[in-house]
Amino acid sequence: MLRTRRLRKTENIRRLVKETSLSVNDFVYPIFIEEGKDIEVEIPSMPGIKRYSLDTVSKELAEVTALNIPAVLLFGVPASKDDTGTETWNPDGIMQQAIKFIKKNYPSLYVITDVCFCEYTSHGHCGVIHNNDVDNDATLVNLAKQTLSHAEAGADMVAPSGMMDGAISMMRETLDNAGFPNLPIMGYSVKYASAFYGPFREAVDSSPSFGDRRTYQMDPANRDEGLREATFDDQEGADILMVKPALSYLDIIRDLKNNFDRPIACYNVSGEYAMVKAAAEKGWIDGDRVMMESLLSMKRAGADIIITYFAKEAAKLLAQ
Ligand code: PBG
């Protein structure tokens, strides 16, 4: 008889035939840094995740470092916003201060920065608004300034999340011309217009004040278009290609893994985190097991790097 159960009989044979495993080396931990003093605010829809100011964030950074998590992804929450997000390229802005602070005090921690405008614009969109829509090419000009200021502050990697066409080319050229040819770019290559970003927008106050992001982020119905997006980022020189969100888009992660010889990242976003936390709090699921199974599924789908709010908890479980 054809039997597959022979290789499932004991823990040790299951260990031998295991195809995928998670490691702390896979994780990037997102951190929200707010301008101001003495801020340590729990985000209601993301239990365990807080917004910190620079004077309170050290214990979080020390924990991440002690757990051997390789990298953080920084999001800045500025004290003031305007139409175009000019604070994003202020050399003394909150993001720039955060980069310097972390590289000085935790030099081994790899610092990836979110390069976007939505937390910094009064209207909450990811760029400059003309005629009620984000103007792609006007936004690129500001994106170049923001990228350069992150590089000058000492970022290890920059990650544009705004889904503007030509962003990777613009950033690569800017970095190369300014003496940063070795600074890598992680493209948010295939980013969908997703309801799973809800808790994040609450966390950083970045909900669009009018309309939505469907003129720049992708339609969740589209798969082939994901390959086209990733092809452009690949050709423009993105060092890492990302899919976002992760759980509802495991097919896209696999598509990228099969089609590109670059590291593939995925972003296990705020809504995915919130769902697990909420159900676990109610006692409806085993939160730890669902967390590990979800992360494993992303790895199995083909992700080499997982950006996740679960990074600390998962790292603790993996170390046991
Ligand atoms: C936008 C940005 C978003 C996230 C990261 N960068 C949200 C959006 O597009 O509105 C979402 C992350 C998450 O939900 O965890 N710059």
Side-chain angles (χ1 to χ4, degrees), residues 22 247 268 272-281 283-298 308 310 313-314 317:
L22 282 170
L247 267 189
N268 176 210
E272 300 172 324
Y273 178 83
M275 287 194 303
V276 175
K277 285 290 174 195
E281 217 171 271
W284 290 351
I285 58 172
D286 179 331
D288 280 353
R289 288 188 56 201
V290 170
M291 163 180 77
M292 295 312 265
E293 188 175 328
S294 307
L295 295 170
L296 186 69
S297 74
M298 295 164 206
T308 179
F310 287 123
E313 283 172 82
L317 286 183

Side-chain angles (χ1 to χ4, degrees), residues 234-252:
D234 181 53
Q235 288 171 351
E236 291 179 33
D239 298 277
I240 296 174
L241 306 173
M242 191 212 296
V243 176
K244 179 182 176 185
L247 267 189
S248 292
Y249 299 89
L250 296 176
D251 53 337
I252 314 299

Side-chain angles (χ1 to χ4, degrees), residues 123-180:
H123 44 73
H125 277 288
C126 302
V128 179
I129 301 290
H130 283 154
N131 300 326
N132 270 337
D133 194 9
V134 176
D135 182 318
N136 195 89
D137 300 8
T139 300
L140 291 185
V141 175
N142 292 346
L143 198 69
K145 296 182 215 167
Q146 183 181 170
T147 302
L148 192 56
S149 82
H150 290 191
E152 284 169 346
D156 292 307
M157 181 186 284
V158 285
S161 64
M163 288 297 276
M164 294 301 122
D165 289 326
I168 304 290
S169 297
M170 177 60 119
M171 291 170 68
R172 189 68 272 155
E173 207 179 295
T174 302
L175 291 169
D176 288 353
N177 290 338
F180 297 99

Side-chain angles (χ1 to χ4, degrees), residues 110-132:
Y110 195 85
V111 173
I112 309 173
T113 60
D114 182 68
V115 185
C116 195
F117 297 93
C118 61
E119 304 103 272
Y120 289 79
T121 51
S122 40
H123 44 73
H125 277 288
C126 302
V128 179
I129 301 290
H130 283 154
N131 300 326
N132 270 337

Side-chain angles (χ1 to χ4, degrees), residues 72-92:
V72 289
L73 174 60
L74 297 187
F75 292 95
V77 182
S80 65
K81 305 185 186 223
D82 61 20
D83 260 14
T84 49
T86 53
E87 266 300 298
T88 57
W89 64 84
N90 176 357
D92 297 316

Side-chain angles (χ1 to χ4, degrees), residues 27-31 48-49 60 64 69 71-73 308-312:
F27 300 143
V28 174
Y29 185 60
I31 298 188
I49 305 295
E60 180 83 326
V64 170
I69 293 168
V72 289
L73 174 60
T308 179
Y309 305 99
F310 287 123
K312 289 193 304 175

